[in-house]
Amino acid sequence: MTEATAHRVRPAGDPLRRALELVGDQWTLLILQSLFLRFRRYEELRLRLGISPTALSGRLRDMVEAGMLTRVPYRDARRTRHEYRLTERGLELWPLLISIWAWEREWVEGRREVLPTLIHLDCELATSAPLGCGACGRRVDARDVRAERLDSTGVAAATASKRFRRKDAESLAGDPMMFFPDTMELLGDRWSTGLLVSALLGCRHFSEFERELGIGPSVLSGRLSKLVEVGVLRTGTAATRADARDYRLTAKGLAFFPALAFIAEWSRGFEVVGQEPDITLHHVECGNRLRPILLCDHCGRPLLRKSVQFGGVPSPKR
């Protein structure tokens, strides 16, 4: 992905940061996934995820305030309670969840359970849901995209979010639709996400990442090592620079681009009138702004939320 910088005034507010703070949180992603599977009531979510009441209440509150959820009253045997339903704003995130599923299914080894297949109901075939350009309908990957930045002030890292404890991940590992180990190394940690975005924008060397993110050397070294460990970055020798080595995205790292493209697109919903996005993606081949969509790799049609279904995933019981 190539980069261009347009020097314009940055308006108040940071839509991309806000989007990353919300969907870059492990619990929020799992709550979102559960809601798409129609687990809507507080106790259903708590029991399914094994999440503490404090963490669940806080995430649900943040999602309601962001316009992703609405609280709908219902009556049980004793009193009126509320369930949580996705708004149109929340429903817009379904391609992000599909792109995470596709990446984990293709690139993550050592899973205890195999992820289910995704069926395109229009052609009745399993699909890997590749990324497409909404303007021209062609398939797109990170190499086909040019990023235009609002200014040169660096990538805005989201505020820190609480990371999973080891026992949290282990309790979820038995459910293939809730266990996304490598995704949680990239989303849910502000520095790892920022490093991945910076690498996609062309950063290669330790000093470039340090300058781009304003990150301390010890923290940067640890995060770079972790991304190398999970196979998203690879190291090489920087022969012409003072830096001892450089860091390049692997095929696995480049393949995570669709998830970031959908987050960037969704973040535009937080812009105020007249505000320009921090990063705008352009499809080089057709020359239009990239409006990411998912395609069926068999019939070539765009995938719609109601035209796909996971095979082997039971509906929640009432």
Side-chain angles (χ1 to χ4, degrees), residues 126-171:
T127 179
S128 63
L131 182 68
C133 172
C136 68
R138 298 186 182 94
R139 289 179 64 160
V140 176
D141 63 31
R143 300 178 184 86
D144 303 319
V145 174
R146 175 178 59 87
E148 181 182 18
R149 302 175 64 177
L150 185 61
D151 55 38
S152 56
T153 57
V155 172
T159 57
S161 59
K162 294 181 179 179
R163 294 179 62 80
F164 268 9
R165 298 167 296 178
R166 183 179 296 275
K167 69 175 185 179
D168 292 328
E170 289 175 351
S171 68

Side-chain angles (χ1 to χ4, degrees), residues 44-96:
E44 289 177 337
L45 293 167
R46 189 185 69 80
L47 292 174
R48 182 172 198 256
L49 300 176
I51 184 174
S52 73
T54 300
L56 178 57
S57 297
R59 294 329 193 270
L60 290 172
R61 182 182 60 250
D62 291 344
M63 294 170 79
V64 169
E65 290 177 355
M68 299 165 66
L69 304 180
T70 186
R71 297 171 75 234
V72 178
Y74 71 93
R75 185 80 182 176
D76 69 7
R78 293 177 296 174
R79 59 174 176 164
T80 299
R81 299 180 182 271
H82 291 84
E83 64 180 22
Y84 294 86
R85 292 180 178 258
L86 290 161
T87 62
E88 285 302 315
R89 185 83 173 111
L91 290 169
E92 290 171 359
L93 283 167
W94 77 270
L96 170 63

Side-chain angles (χ1 to χ4, degrees), residues 239-253:
T240 60
R241 292 177 57 96
D243 294 345
R245 63 178 63 177
D246 63 13
Y247 296 85
R248 304 272 177 152
L249 285 164
T250 62
K252 180 179 179 179

Side-chain angles (χ1 to χ4, degrees), residues 2-316:
T2 58
E3 176 193 358
T5 302
H7 296 281
R8 298 187 291 272
V9 177
R10 181 189 296 273
D14 192 336
L16 184 57
R17 176 181 300 200
R18 188 175 181 193
L20 287 170
E21 287 173 354
L22 286 165
V23 300
D25 175 84
Q26 298 102 318
W27 283 127
T28 300
L29 280 174
L30 291 170
I31 291 169
L32 187 65
Q33 180 265 355
S34 298
L35 289 163
F36 271 103
L37 292 176
R38 300 184 181 179
F39 292 87
R40 294 169 174 161
R41 296 180 179 179
Y42 184 95
E43 198 62 14
E44 289 177 337
L45 293 167
R46 189 185 69 80
L47 292 174
R48 182 172 198 256
L49 300 176
I51 184 174
S52 73
T54 300
L56 178 57
S57 297
R59 294 329 193 270
L60 290 172
R61 182 182 60 250
D62 291 344
M63 294 170 79
V64 169
E65 290 177 355
M68 299 165 66
L69 304 180
T70 186
R71 297 171 75 234
V72 178
Y74 71 93
R75 185 80 182 176
D76 69 7
R78 293 177 296 174
R79 59 174 176 164
T80 299
R81 299 180 182 271
H82 291 84
E83 64 180 22
Y84 294 86
R85 292 180 178 258
L86 290 161
T87 62
E88 285 302 315
R89 185 83 173 111
L91 290 169
E92 290 171 359
L93 283 167
W94 77 270
L96 170 63
L97 297 180
I98 298 295
S99 65
I100 289 172
W101 160 86
W103 185 75
E104 289 267 344
R105 196 170 194 269
E106 175 68 20
W107 292 99
V108 178
E109 299 178 354
R111 299 181 60 96
R112 297 184 191 177
E113 302 288 342
V114 177
L115 280 169
T117 56
L118 184 70
I119 307 300
H120 184 205
L121 300 179
D122 289 358
C123 66
E124 300 183 343
L125 295 173
T127 179
S128 63
L131 182 68
C133 172
C136 68
R138 298 186 182 94
R139 289 179 64 160
V140 176
D141 63 31
R143 300 178 184 86
D144 303 319
V145 174
R146 175 178 59 87
E148 181 182 18
R149 302 175 64 177
L150 185 61
D151 55 38
S152 56
T153 57
V155 172
T159 57
S161 59
K162 294 181 179 179
R163 294 179 62 80
F164 268 9
R165 298 167 296 178
R166 183 179 296 275
K167 69 175 185 179
D168 292 328
E170 289 175 351
S171 68
L172 298 171
D175 187 333
M177 291 301 291
M178 292 198 297
F179 185 54
F180 302 111
D182 284 23
T183 293
M184 297 312 178
E185 292 294 342
L186 304 182
L187 296 177
D189 177 78
R190 61 170 177 160
W191 295 125
S192 295
T193 308
L195 284 171
L196 185 60
V197 173
S198 299
L200 284 165
L201 291 173
C203 287
R204 297 286 182 268
H205 305 283
F206 192 96
S207 59
E208 292 174 339
F209 289 113
E210 192 174 24
R211 181 174 60 253
E212 185 77 37
L213 294 171
I215 184 174
S218 61
V219 176
L220 175 57
S221 180
R223 293 304 194 278
L224 286 171
S225 295
K226 188 62 180 179
L227 295 184
V228 171
E229 180 184 331
V230 299
V232 170
L233 295 178
R234 60 178 175 83
T235 59
T237 302
T240 60
R241 292 177 57 96
D243 294 345
R245 63 178 63 177
D246 63 13
Y247 296 85
R248 304 272 177 152
L249 285 164
T250 62
K252 180 179 179 179
L254 288 168
F256 199 73
F257 171 72
L260 297 177
F262 283 115
I263 293 173
E265 183 69 13
W266 188 74
S267 75
R268 297 176 72 98
F270 292 121
E271 296 169 10
V272 299
V273 176
Q275 185 173 8
E276 296 179 80
D278 290 339
I279 298 174
T280 301
L281 303 176
H282 298 275
H283 182 202
V284 174
E285 185 174 352
C286 73
N288 291 298
R289 180 176 78 81
L290 177 65
R291 292 176 174 82
I293 61 172
L294 296 174
L295 298 173
C296 176
D297 44 7
H298 294 287
C299 68
R301 296 161 125 184
L303 299 180
L304 305 177
R305 179 170 55 87
K306 294 184 179 180
S307 72
V308 293
Q309 178 179 298
F310 282 110
V313 178
S315 299

